[in-house]
Amino acid sequence: MLRHQSQDTAFPIFLERAGVRNDMRSYRLIQQSVLAEFSRAALQTRDIHVVLQRAAALSAKGLNAPFAMVMEFVADGKRLLVRAGYGWPSSVEQSSFVVDSTSPAGRAFQTGQAIITGRAPPDGRFEIPGLPVDRGIKTSISVRIDRGGRGGGYFGVLQVDSPAPSRFDEADAAFLTEFADIVGIAIERLHEETRLRDALDHQAMLTREMGHRVKNSLSSVVAMLRVQAFGTDSVEAKLALGEAGSRVAAIAQVHDHLSRASQIGFIDVDVFLIDFCKRLQRVAGAHILNCDAHPIRLSADHAVPLGLLLNELVSNAVKHAYPGQDGPIDISARDIDGCLQLSVSDQGAGLPDGFDIDQPRTSLGFRMIKGMVQQLRGHLTLSANQPTGTRVLFELPILPRNEAVVPAALVTAERPVLEKAR
């Protein structure tokens, strides 16, 4: 909001203070301080209106004047629209000046020169518009604000006004020109940041849309597998097609979460795990899936193999943990000292004596488990659950660290505590 000079004690009320104008060295030091202050302020905000307001206030301070305004060129109407002012009432922002040689602002914009003028110069060319006249303005100094970027062009005009005749000189024009150059650089920086944010937002939108389309395509594959399973009489074929559909559905669910994640390129493990358990619960029958997870964010590179690994571990527990009966299956994800610990446990039959996870097996699901562990470069441990059953613990470093200390792919079993075969 624009303010009258008397409402802002941070800047001096216009006075011909004794010694200030006479001590030109001190006066220029004040101007250099103002330039530095505006440069700092411009770097601390992304709001262009705040930058323009500070420009108006500090340019007035640098010239020890009570009025200033920043005008933006509006190309369609060939006007200079007041965007910010200092010392003026708020209604000044509704004002605009025609870009021609009859006003100081228009002349400055057209020529690129600093225009210093009184209220009524002898040739009458630079008559100040009605609003400044109403405030008793007798002299003004106007400079063009050039864009500071590679694209060039002009933003508008910076103008400082005073009720004192013959108030400004060429040194003041040099100061205001330098000030306007900094304003132009600040404006271009903000415009460039806006363009970059728009480009990033567009890229994020495309990435999310791509993930959403991948999810839809995979969902179509799942539907076709289900139709094919329904149309076959072979029990083995039905089982194989059902397992294939479950794996494709797991990948589709990962892509769905990637498209909706709070940060592009990452998946929120806690949100994903809850939704994942809801999907599996529909095929788990009377088995109760209990899910609990810390808020963990995992990169997209880890998301798909982790989803497949989780799908195989839970499906394996559903099929084998409770032969002929139902029981609970607990799934948890914990962030322990920068390491994701994913646990799937049951209270069922357990593993057989002498079970060796490293031995080659024909089961596709088991081979996929080992493959996902190797791809993720994690560590999988099988152990007896307490008081009964099996616990599978998968550990994955999730914090950046030196490649040399990342553990190699390990798949081991604590053989002394293994019980019955599945």
Side-chain angles (χ1 to χ4, degrees):
M1 177 179 293
L2 302 176
R3 293 166 296 187
H4 290 285
Q5 180 74 20
S6 60
Q7 295 174 331
D8 189 351
T9 57
F11 306 106
I13 298 175
F14 172 69
L15 292 173
E16 286 294 342
R17 292 176 176 168
V20 174
R21 295 290 293 178
N22 294 328
D23 187 351
M24 296 307 297
R25 184 170 181 273
S26 297
Y27 189 61
R28 301 312 172 199
L29 286 175
I30 292 174
Q31 292 181 341
Q32 291 301 314
S33 174
V34 166
L35 291 173
E37 184 177 350
F38 176 74
S39 298
R40 289 192 300 271
L43 290 173
Q44 292 172 354
T45 180
R46 292 181 175 179
D47 188 335
I48 190 170
H49 185 68
V50 173
V51 170
L52 297 183
Q53 285 290 99
R54 295 292 289 166
L58 287 172
S59 61
K61 178 182 179 180
L63 292 179
N64 195 26
F67 303 106
M69 62 178 67
V70 181
M71 291 164 272
E72 181 179 8
F73 177 62
V74 182
D76 58 351
K78 296 183 179 180
R79 297 175 296 115
L80 287 170
L81 176 66
V82 178
R83 290 289 306 278
Y86 179 73
W88 302 101
S90 58
S91 60
V92 74
E93 290 194 13
Q94 305 302 318
S95 303
S96 63
F97 304 147
V98 176
V99 178
D100 57 28
S101 60
T102 62
S103 70
R107 183 68 172 176
F109 186 83
Q110 287 181 329
T111 65
Q113 300 174 350
I115 303 299
I116 303 174
T117 180
R119 178 177 179 180
D123 58 11
R125 288 186 305 158
F126 302 131
E127 187 164 342
I128 298 175
L131 181 63
V133 171
D134 291 342
R135 307 297 291 184
I137 302 303
K138 292 184 173 60
T139 186
S140 69
I141 178 169
S142 306
V143 298
R144 188 172 66 192
I145 301 173
D146 296 349
R147 291 188 181 275
R150 291 172 295 180
Y154 315 117
F155 174 80
V157 172
L158 174 62
Q159 179 171 302
V160 177
D161 302 293
S162 171
S166 302
R167 176 67 172 80
F168 304 117
D169 56 25
E170 295 302 324
D172 292 328
F175 160 76
L176 199 61
T177 299
E178 185 178 358
F179 193 102
D181 288 342
I182 299 175
V183 173
I185 293 171
I187 291 171
E188 186 63 20
R189 178 184 67 83
L190 292 175
H191 285 171
E192 186 64 27
E193 286 185 358
T194 299
R195 287 192 290 268
L196 288 174
R197 284 197 299 272
D198 290 343
L200 289 173
D201 289 343
H202 182 66
Q203 184 63 38
M205 183 272 293
L206 292 177
T207 301
R208 295 183 190 278
E209 178 64 20
M210 182 177 64
H212 183 67
R213 292 189 180 190
V214 170
K215 174 253 184 182
N216 288 342
S217 298
L218 292 174
S219 297
S220 298
V221 174
V222 173
M224 288 187 289
L225 289 172
R226 288 174 178 168
V227 170
Q228 190 171 1
F230 181 78
T232 183
D233 295 329
S234 170
V235 175
E236 291 184 357
K238 285 182 181 290
L239 180 61
L241 290 170
E243 290 177 347
S246 178
R247 289 162 185 150
V248 176
I251 299 174
Q253 195 166 5
V254 170
H255 281 282
D256 182 43
H257 275 267
L258 285 172
S259 69
R260 296 186 289 110
S262 57
Q263 183 177 351
I264 293 293
F266 290 85
I267 191 170
D268 298 310
V269 175
D270 52 334
V271 178
F272 169 74
L273 192 60
I274 293 173
D275 285 352
F276 190 86
C277 288
K278 289 179 180 178
R279 180 182 69 83
L280 285 182
Q281 185 66 70
R282 293 194 293 267
V283 297
H287 298 291
I288 302 300
L289 303 185
N290 301 311
C291 296
D292 183 33
H294 287 174
I296 303 170
R297 187 164 290 167
L298 201 62
S299 72
D301 292 338
H302 291 147
V304 171
L306 184 69
L308 284 171
L309 175 63
L310 182 60
N311 185 76
E312 295 304 317
L313 293 177
V314 175
S315 298
N316 194 52
V318 168
K319 288 189 293 184
H320 301 297
Y322 302 98
Q325 57 182 334
D326 303 314
I329 298 172
D330 298 318
I331 307 162
S332 69
R334 297 279 186 271
D335 181 356
I336 307 298
D337 297 329
C339 180
L340 169 63
Q341 292 191 358
L342 178 67
S343 172
V344 178
S345 61
D346 60 69
Q347 300 172 21
L351 294 170
D353 294 333
F355 178 83
D356 188 350
I357 196 173
D358 295 319
Q359 292 300 315
R361 298 181 182 276
T362 59
S363 168
L364 175 60
F366 206 88
R367 295 201 305 271
M368 286 188 62
I369 289 174
K370 294 186 67 175
M372 294 303 103
V373 171
Q374 291 172 354
Q375 182 176 342
L376 290 166
R377 302 188 67 188
H379 188 118
L380 187 70
T381 302
L382 276 71
S383 62
N385 197 21
Q386 298 300 327
T388 62
T390 302
R391 181 172 184 258
V392 182
L393 177 64
F394 173 70
E395 297 177 285
L396 173 69
I398 57 177
L399 292 181
R401 60 171 66 185
N402 190 299
E403 282 293 319
V405 300
V406 174
L410 296 175
V411 183
T412 61
E414 298 178 5
R415 295 179 179 84
V417 297
L418 297 179
E419 297 175 359
K420 300 178 184 177
R422 290 183 176 174

